[in-house]
């Protein structure tokens, strides 16, 4: 039973990790948590559902439309909401992000209704048994897709010129601007990539549970934020580790303790880790002089 729950937790945790990666990228560049990120993930999932269920596109193509829709939404939010406040106190950006989050949830309820909708399957639902552990085709797809995307992101950030520019802007925007780096473009690109990761996470979660609904962004957004804090804000490996840990802890607590303890246990572990290491598991300690 424990092995089964670990497999379930890794699947769920990979979804949280992808959302946490988007959070972490934006935090690394702008030093604030974008609380609208979960809402963007929800919109990406809804666009996918609408294009597949209502327009009739193949579900894979519908997901691609959902990715690009979330990227455009992320760029819009950055340009309209965050760029004018870039030199303002960080609290202003945080409040604006919370406003966008509420607006996206309410807008989804107005446009698509308050009832949950069935998300079409990406692959035929088949169960496989390996050593007594059951894993279905959707779980395999989620795990494989998460691993591939995480690897691509790591290569992009660490090995490409745009990735190096992102890391440089995260360190010092002013110096990068003086050295000819287009800071506005790099920040917009970070939001676009982060929003796409959020959409992937939202689509995977709706596929995993089989439904999409307006408040799902609040749920996945909270778990993604917890994963960022647990792993270490601004750390890409930390976001992955934090997401996987949150997923595994949730599933183990739900099976070994109770369904009611499932949500609480993960956050209790988060609190304990932060009491011992405030920067998170893989975050860097910052000393202010």
């Amino acid at each position: 039973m424990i092995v089964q729950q670990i497999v379930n937790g890794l699947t769920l945790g990979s979804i949280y990790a992808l959302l946490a990666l988007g959070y972490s990228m934006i935090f690394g560049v702008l030093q604030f948590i974008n609380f609208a990120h979960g809402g963007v993930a929800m919109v990406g999932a809804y666009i996918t559902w609408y294009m597949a269920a209502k327009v009739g596109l193949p579900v894979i193509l519908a997901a691609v439309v959902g990715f690009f829709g979330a990227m455009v939404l992320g760029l819009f939010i950055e340009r309209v909401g965050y760029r004018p406040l870039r030199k303002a106190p960080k609290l202003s950006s945080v409040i604006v992000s919370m406003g966008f989050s509420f607006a996206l949830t309410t807008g989804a309820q107005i446009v698509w209704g308050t009832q949950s909708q069935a998300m079409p399957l990406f692959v035929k639902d088949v169960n496989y048994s390996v050593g007594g552990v059951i894993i279905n085709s959707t779980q395999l797809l989620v795990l494989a897709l998460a691993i591939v995307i995480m690897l691509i992101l790591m290569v992009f950030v660490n090995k490409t010129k745009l990735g190096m520019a992102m890391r440089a802007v995260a360190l010092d925007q002013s110096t990068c601007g003086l050295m000819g780096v287009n800071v506005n473009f790099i920040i917009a690109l970070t939001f676009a990539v982060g929003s796409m990761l959020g959409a992937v996470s939202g689509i995977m979660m709706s596929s995993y549970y089989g439904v999409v609904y307006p408040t799902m962004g609040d749920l996945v957004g909270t778990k993604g934020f917890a994963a960022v804090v647990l792993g270490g804000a601004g750390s890409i490996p930390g976001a992955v580790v934090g997401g996987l840990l949150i997923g595994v802890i949730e599933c183990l607590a739900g099976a070994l303790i109770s369904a009611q303890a499932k949500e609480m246990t993960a956050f209790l572990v988060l609190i304990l880790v932060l009491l011992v290491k405030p920067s998170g598991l893989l975050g860097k300690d910052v000393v202010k002089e």
Side-chain angles (χ1 to χ4, degrees), residues 15-165:
I15 297 174
Y16 298 156
L18 284 174
L19 193 76
L21 285 170
Y23 269 123
S24 195
M25 289 182 66
I26 294 171
F27 180 86
V29 172
L30 292 180
Q31 299 299 305
F32 85 97
I33 292 294
N34 175 26
F35 285 106
H37 196 53
V40 173
M42 175 270 297
V43 171
Y46 255 112
I47 292 174
T48 301
W49 163 78
Y50 184 84
M51 298 305 293
K54 300 298 183 181
V55 177
L57 290 180
V59 66
I60 299 298
L61 184 56
V64 173
V65 176
F67 298 160
F68 282 100
M71 290 176 67
V72 171
L73 178 59
L75 289 171
F76 173 80
I77 291 174
E78 187 276 329
R79 183 65 183 87
V80 173
Y82 300 146
R83 189 175 298 184
L85 298 175
R86 198 172 293 168
K87 295 184 179 180
K90 298 302 180 185
L91 181 60
S92 301
S93 297
V94 172
I95 293 173
V96 169
S97 73
M98 294 176 68
F100 274 119
S101 177
F102 288 123
L104 290 173
T105 300
T106 304
Q109 292 173 334
I110 293 172
V111 174
W112 292 297
T114 57
Q115 299 298 316
S116 60
Q117 304 291 341
M119 175 65 81
L121 292 175
F122 283 81
V123 291
K124 185 178 180 180
D125 195 13
V126 179
N127 290 328
Y128 303 95
S129 180
V130 181
V133 177
I134 298 175
I135 183 168
N136 62 39
S137 52
T138 298
Q139 286 179 302
L140 287 173
L141 175 65
V142 168
L143 285 169
L145 188 60
I147 291 170
V148 170
I149 290 175
M150 290 174 191
L151 290 175
I152 291 174
L153 181 64
M154 295 288 283
V155 171
F156 172 73
V157 171
N158 293 303
K159 300 297 183 180
T160 68
K161 289 185 178 180
L162 285 175
M164 288 187 284

Side-chain angles (χ1 to χ4, degrees), residues 16 219 223 250 253-254 258-268:
Y16 298 156
L219 173 64
K223 300 300 175 59
E250 276 191 1
S258 68
Q260 290 76 16
K262 179 179 178 181
E263 305 292 334
M264 177 186 71
T265 306
F267 285 96
L268 285 178

Side-chain angles (χ1 to χ4, degrees), residues 2 66 69 119 136 143 148 166 177 209 231 244 259 273 279 282:
I2 292 178
M119 175 65 81
N136 62 39
L143 285 169
V148 170
M166 283 183 179
Y209 288 111
L244 294 176
V273 169
S279 60
L282 300 181

Side-chain angles (χ1 to χ4, degrees), residues 129-245:
S129 180
V130 181
V133 177
I134 298 175
I135 183 168
N136 62 39
S137 52
T138 298
Q139 286 179 302
L140 287 173
L141 175 65
V142 168
L143 285 169
L145 188 60
I147 291 170
V148 170
I149 290 175
M150 290 174 191
L151 290 175
I152 291 174
L153 181 64
M154 295 288 283
V155 171
F156 172 73
V157 171
N158 293 303
K159 300 297 183 180
T160 68
K161 289 185 178 180
L162 285 175
M164 288 187 284
M166 283 183 179
R167 289 186 284 125
V169 170
L171 289 173
D172 193 330
Q173 292 185 22
S174 299
T175 302
C176 285
L178 292 173
M179 296 181 69
V181 177
N182 188 335
V183 174
N184 287 333
F185 172 77
I186 294 299
I187 291 176
L189 177 64
T190 303
F191 265 85
V193 174
S195 297
M196 185 190 69
L197 290 171
V200 174
S201 176
I203 293 167
M204 289 168 61
M205 173 162 278
S206 61
S207 177
Y208 183 74
Y209 288 111
V211 294
V212 57
Y213 51 95
T215 57
M216 66 175 287
D218 299 332
L219 173 64
V220 72
T222 302
K223 300 300 175 59
F225 173 65
V228 170
V229 177
L230 178 60
S235 169
I236 290 180
V240 175
V241 171
L244 294 176
L245 281 176

